[in-house]
């Protein structure tokens, strides 16, 4: 009995403390990394405890995530490993926020059904409140900021409001759809409108083609209202930056990426050096997939993300599958996973969609058994 308890305790200790053991073994390596990050020996020894603590926290959290979700945990571990050769403050910041976001995602996935329902109701209430404030601001009166920012709601930017509306619309109750759609229209955001229409098409599959076809004139209306010239210029800038980034990626970067946060550190400097729209800096790629490959590599990070999506493909069949579609569309033209005031909603929606499970189908009842039950109920046959 004592032997079994000791074995079980040893197994549990190994599961939860393996990251700490690895950390102790890696101390010489970490001290070497600290010296590389800071040539001054005194500052290196000063930074080393902070570096050690940060890696310990991120590594332990990543290992816990890996115990709950293999694909997501492997991606977080990869980000932590990538920090060792990226060696920039922004790499640590990016990795910490990414690991915290993944931790939040797993926690949402572990909520009970009642808690998930409550969370989604709160998301809808918050989105409606922001939508109402944006609609009021569109009239010229701003009760939130008391200035002429436009339809920015409480988020401070029309694009953020549009992204939120596009994500919530596909699962919002029918009474809230006109309010959220109205707020989306006054933001004049074409990509968000496309995402919302495709999300609604996924939700109302019976009229899928109607919503999909409706997306074209609605998106065109947003482009016309905002200004076709501004839209085309913005898209041209994006294409130029993406082409520049692709053209200057090394084979090593294609395989394993430049490291977390590397886009922020490298691309604006490349714009100045190569004179590609200098002064109009793309600190984010405005395309989460391109930035994922740039920082994490096509052979590692991209594969892990696609693996995670495949392992949780039932989320598309959930009542929130339309919102997942909207997130995917938005990720192709914005940096929505880098927006703190939007990403919390994304985490909740994805977590609830992943945790959703269809109701188990009833066992088919043989015809003979149904007939005997009917006859017995009518008193024609006695048990």
């Amino acid at each position: 009995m004592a032997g079994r308890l000791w074995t079980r305790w040893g197994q549990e200790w190994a599961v939860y403390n393996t990251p700490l053991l690895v950390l102790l073994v890696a101390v010489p390596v970490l001290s070497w990394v600290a010296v590389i990050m800071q040539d001054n020996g005194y500052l290196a020894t000063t930074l080393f405890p902070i570096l050690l603590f940060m890696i310990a926290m991120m590594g332990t959290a990543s290992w816990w995530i890996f115990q709950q979700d293999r694909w997501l945990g492997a991606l977080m571990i990869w980000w932590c490993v990538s920090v060792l050769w990226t060696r920039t403050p922004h790499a640590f910041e990016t990795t910490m926020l990414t690991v915290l976001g993944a931790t939040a995602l797993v926690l949402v996935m572990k909520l009970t059904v009642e808690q998930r329902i409550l969370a989604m109701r709160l998301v809808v209430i918050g989105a409606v409140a922001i939508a109402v404030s944006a609609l009021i601001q569109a009239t010229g009166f701003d009760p939130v900021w008391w200035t002429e920012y436009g339809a920015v709601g409480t988020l401070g930017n029309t694009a953020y409001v549009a992204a939120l509306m596009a994500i919530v619309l596909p699962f919002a109750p029918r009474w809230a759809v006109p309010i959220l759609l109205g707020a989306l229209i006054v933001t004049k955001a074409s990509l968000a409108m496309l995402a919302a229409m495709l999300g609604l098409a996924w939700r109302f599959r019976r009229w899928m083609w109607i919503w999909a076809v409706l997306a074209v004139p609605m998106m065109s209306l947003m482009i016309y209202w905002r200004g076709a010239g501004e839209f085309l210029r913005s898209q041209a800038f994006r294409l130029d930056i993406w082409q520049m980034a692709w053209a200057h990626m090394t084979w090593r970067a294609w395989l394993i990426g430049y490291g977390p946060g590397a886009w922020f550190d490298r691309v604006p400097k490349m714009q100045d050096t190569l004179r590609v729209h200098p002064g109009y800096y793309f600190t984010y790629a405005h395309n989460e997939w391109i930035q994922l490959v740039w920082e994490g590599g096509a052979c590692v990070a991209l594969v892990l993300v696609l693996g995670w999506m495949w392992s949780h493909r039932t989320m598309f069949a959930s009542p929130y599958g339309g919102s997942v579609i909207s997130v995917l569309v938005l990720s192709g033209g914005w940096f929505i996973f880098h927006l703190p005031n939007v990403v919390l909603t994304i985490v909740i929606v994805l977590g609830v969609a992943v945790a959703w499970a269809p109701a188990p189908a009833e066992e088919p009842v043989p015809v003979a058994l149904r007939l005997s039950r009917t006859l017995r109920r009518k008193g024609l046959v006695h048990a």
Side-chain angles (χ1 to χ4, degrees):
M1 182 67 178
R4 286 198 299 269
L5 289 175
W6 177 260
T7 303
R8 182 178 177 183
W9 178 86
Q11 292 174 345
E12 293 179 353
W13 191 93
V15 167
Y16 292 105
N17 295 279
T18 298
L20 299 179
L21 292 176
V22 173
L23 193 63
L24 291 175
V25 175
V27 164
V29 178
L30 295 177
S31 60
W32 173 73
V33 172
V35 173
I36 289 179
M37 291 182 63
Q38 177 55 253
D39 294 333
N40 184 292
Y42 174 76
L43 290 178
T45 56
T46 304
L47 290 172
F48 175 64
I50 301 175
L51 176 69
L52 190 66
F53 171 75
M54 292 171 65
I55 293 182
M57 183 179 67
M58 293 187 297
T60 304
S62 298
W63 181 257
W64 178 80
I65 295 171
F66 182 78
Q67 298 298 313
Q68 316 302 319
D69 189 308
R70 292 288 191 260
W71 289 100
L72 185 61
L75 180 61
M76 294 304 102
I77 292 173
W78 174 246
W79 283 130
C80 293
V81 173
S82 300
V83 171
L84 296 178
W85 63 72
T86 310
R87 300 192 305 268
T88 63
H90 198 67
F92 279 96
E93 177 186 344
T94 302
T95 304
M96 287 186 66
L97 293 176
T98 304
V99 171
L100 289 174
T103 303
L105 178 60
V106 173
L107 292 176
V108 172
M109 291 162 55
K110 287 182 166 295
L111 294 177
T112 64
V113 175
E114 294 77 11
Q115 291 171 335
R116 294 200 297 269
I117 293 174
L118 176 61
M120 299 307 278
R121 287 176 178 173
L122 292 176
V123 167
V124 171
I125 292 173
V128 169
I130 294 174
V132 170
S133 64
L135 289 170
I136 295 175
Q137 290 163 343
T139 65
F141 174 69
D142 190 344
V144 179
W145 304 97
W146 298 101
T147 186
E148 297 182 1
Y149 283 150
V152 297
T154 59
L155 304 182
N157 190 299
T158 55
Y160 304 166
V161 174
L164 183 65
M165 300 302 112
I167 294 169
V168 178
L169 259 170
F171 71 85
R174 295 180 185 242
W175 62 265
V177 169
I179 301 173
L180 301 178
L181 186 59
L184 176 56
I185 291 174
V186 298
T187 62
K188 309 174 188 177
S190 54
L191 180 63
M193 180 59 71
L194 175 64
M197 291 295 105
L198 295 181
L200 288 170
W202 189 262
R203 173 183 176 178
F204 300 108
R205 292 181 180 80
R206 185 177 180 182
W207 303 284
M208 177 180 289
W209 290 110
I210 297 177
W211 285 101
V213 172
L214 188 61
V216 177
M218 293 297 291
M219 187 178 179
S220 302
L221 176 63
M222 298 296 99
I223 295 173
Y224 172 77
W225 196 0
R226 181 176 288 272
E230 180 182 347
F231 172 80
L232 293 175
R233 183 169 57 255
S234 175
Q235 301 311 307
F237 280 14
R238 281 172 163 80
L239 292 176
D240 291 340
I241 297 299
W242 296 344
Q243 183 179 7
M244 178 196 72
W246 288 133
H248 291 83
M249 283 187 70
T250 63
W251 67 268
R252 176 180 176 274
W254 277 103
L255 292 175
I256 62 175
Y258 285 112
W263 183 282
F264 184 93
D265 293 323
R266 289 172 176 260
V267 172
K269 295 176 182 178
M270 291 174 59
Q271 288 184 247
D272 281 337
T273 303
L274 301 174
R275 308 298 298 171
V276 180
H277 306 300
Y280 192 84
Y281 297 118
F282 272 63
T283 52
Y284 299 103
H286 289 72
N287 185 306
E288 296 289 8
W289 297 97
I290 292 178
Q291 188 159 346
L292 176 69
V293 172
W294 174 275
E295 297 183 350
C299 295
V300 183
L302 181 61
V303 170
L304 292 175
V305 170
L306 294 177
W308 181 84
M309 292 178 60
W310 176 256
S311 67
H312 297 297
R313 58 191 179 276
T314 54
M315 64 183 174
F316 292 100
S318 73
Y320 314 103
S323 294
V324 179
I325 297 294
S326 294
V327 170
L328 291 177
V329 174
L330 290 171
S331 66
W334 279 349
F335 46 99
I336 54 172
F337 286 99
H338 292 81
L339 300 175
N341 45 9
V342 177
V343 76
L344 178 60
T345 300
I346 296 176
V347 167
I348 295 174
V349 170
L350 289 181
V352 172
V354 167
W356 177 84
E362 293 185 2
E363 292 280 341
V365 181
V367 176
L369 181 59
R370 289 203 306 269
L371 179 60
S372 65
R373 287 178 179 175
T374 303
L375 295 174
R376 192 178 298 115
R377 187 172 56 254
K378 292 183 177 181
L380 300 177
V381 176
H382 299 286

